[in-house]
Amino acid sequence: MTALQAFLKAQKEIWLRRGIVGFLYVFNVLMAAILTLPIGGRLDRLANKELANHLIDGFAVDYVIEYFQKYGDSFQAIIAMLIGVGLFYVLTNTFLAGGILGVLSREKRFRLRPFLHESANLFGRFVRLLFLSLVVLILLYFVFRLAVLSPLKNLADSANPDVRFQLQLLSILLVLLLIGFWNMLFDYAKIAIHSRDIGSVFVGFFSSMRFALRHPLQTIGLYFLNYLIVAALFVLYLVLENQFSNTTAVSTYGLLAVQQLFILSRLWMKTSFFASQQVFYFDRHPEEAIQLAWE
């Protein structure tokens, strides 16, 4: 099975279990509403202060300094809230990953109870895997920085401005590719842990690394096929967003509809990463697919 075949089959599997995307959408909307209310309320109060009105009338460094000095506690509270929201987002996505994999592999259609059961069953292992992934990312980055980024930087320092800019763009692209490769490895680690019911996250990680190294072109190609589609959807959204002026009710509601479609498509592609990689993994390990009643 090629990367493209795995991707296309995954889309059919997601369509049969499209309730996953619907549940993720409702969950994200509810969580966003709950988590942004306290932050939004505090920002509204800060925006209605007299100093904020001075900044709107005309920017002045003195007002900015006084503003941050006077309401420093509120800004610190907002930063703490944002960090908390970020941590909560990471943990909820780690929790939901087990449900997505479980429903895609075991269920013919989406059902909430099996989804939550699989999420809870794998959550502890996936959290440990998350901490391991952060350690691996740091190590990968330092090795990559010494072996690739530092030589590129030295080369850029001695190059003319045009070449320097191109080398800087190349460095950014390589870092993004590194992050994508790292994320792919731990996607396969989740799949291996789930399919084989592995208790050790280290065993799951090394299993995923062995699998990726055995099929480098297909695994990397499949991951970045999903990645490029996500990027294309984002560009399409930016193009469509610029077509709305927000000066009329029709434009406002039209933009809102486009935004919701973009959120749904993003959640579909989030599911597609897991689904397509799981399809490819089971194609190479049919004994595990049979055990999980994939067909």
Side-chain angles (χ1 to χ4, degrees):
M1 178 180 285
T2 65
L4 181 59
Q5 288 172 333
F7 176 81
L8 293 176
K9 183 176 180 181
Q11 306 317 302
K12 296 178 182 178
E13 299 297 337
I14 298 172
W15 176 253
L16 292 174
R17 302 160 181 84
R18 53 191 177 275
I20 294 175
V21 179
F23 173 79
L24 293 177
Y25 175 77
V26 173
F27 181 84
N28 275 265
V29 169
L30 290 176
M31 288 299 100
I34 293 171
L35 293 173
T36 56
L37 280 176
I39 298 176
R42 191 172 286 268
L43 286 173
D44 285 340
R45 289 194 294 272
L46 285 172
N48 291 323
K49 301 297 184 182
E50 183 180 355
L51 283 171
N53 294 330
H54 287 312
L55 288 173
I56 293 173
D57 294 335
F59 181 82
V61 176
D62 291 341
Y63 284 140
V64 172
I65 295 173
E66 184 180 356
Y67 191 59
F68 278 95
Q69 287 177 341
K70 190 170 184 178
Y71 303 110
D73 292 342
S74 293
F75 283 107
Q76 289 177 3
I78 290 172
I79 293 172
M81 288 179 188
L82 290 173
I83 293 173
V85 168
L87 290 173
F88 183 78
Y89 177 81
V90 171
L91 289 175
T92 53
N93 276 275
T94 302
F95 175 80
L96 296 171
I100 294 171
L101 289 173
V103 170
L104 287 171
S105 62
R106 298 178 186 272
E107 304 293 325
K108 292 183 178 180
R109 59 185 178 83
F110 174 80
R111 292 186 298 157
L112 184 58
R113 184 174 179 180
F115 181 91
L116 295 177
H117 177 268
E118 291 288 345
S119 296
N121 184 45
L122 292 164
F123 181 61
R125 281 173 282 180
F126 281 5
V127 168
R128 297 198 301 273
L129 187 65
L130 171 65
F131 288 119
L132 175 62
S133 72
L134 295 177
V135 173
V136 171
L137 179 61
I138 293 170
L139 293 175
L140 278 176
Y141 176 75
F142 277 110
V143 172
F144 192 74
R145 183 175 179 178
L146 289 173
V148 179
L149 296 182
S150 292
L152 280 177
K153 184 179 183 302
N154 293 333
L155 187 61
D157 290 340
S158 60
N160 62 62
D162 291 338
V163 175
R164 186 182 302 121
F165 178 71
Q166 292 173 359
L167 289 173
Q168 288 171 345
L169 286 180
L170 177 61
S171 299
I172 294 172
L173 177 61
L174 290 174
V175 169
L176 292 176
L177 290 174
L178 175 70
I179 294 173
F181 179 75
W182 162 79
N183 196 48
M184 181 197 74
L185 284 179
F186 283 92
D187 279 352
Y188 280 111
K190 292 184 180 76
I191 293 168
I193 288 171
H194 172 255
S195 64
R196 294 162 52 190
D197 197 22
I198 299 173
S200 170
V201 296
F202 291 97
V203 173
F205 169 66
F206 286 113
S207 295
S208 72
M209 183 178 292
R210 185 167 58 250
F211 179 79
L213 292 176
R214 283 180 179 175
H215 314 284
L217 294 179
Q218 296 96 326
T219 52
I220 293 173
L222 180 57
Y223 182 87
F224 283 101
L225 173 60
N226 283 282
Y227 198 90
L228 287 173
I229 292 174
V230 171
L233 287 171
F234 182 72
V235 172
L236 178 61
Y237 168 73
L238 292 178
V239 171
L240 291 175
E241 184 185 36
N242 289 330
Q243 307 306 311
F244 295 91
S245 61
N246 286 337
T247 57
T248 65
V250 173
S251 294
T252 301
Y253 286 114
L255 178 59
L256 180 62
V258 170
Q259 289 172 340
Q260 301 314 303
L261 286 174
F262 174 72
I263 292 172
L264 282 170
S265 64
R266 183 175 59 81
L267 293 173
W268 182 287
M269 289 308 302
K270 175 182 178 178
T271 309
S272 178
F273 276 96
F274 282 127
S276 57
Q277 290 175 129
Q278 189 166 247
V279 166
F280 182 75
Y281 180 86
F282 285 162
D283 181 69
R284 294 299 190 271
H285 294 282
E287 71 284 355
E288 296 180 28
I290 293 171
Q291 177 186 352
L292 294 177
W294 173 256
E295 300 294 345

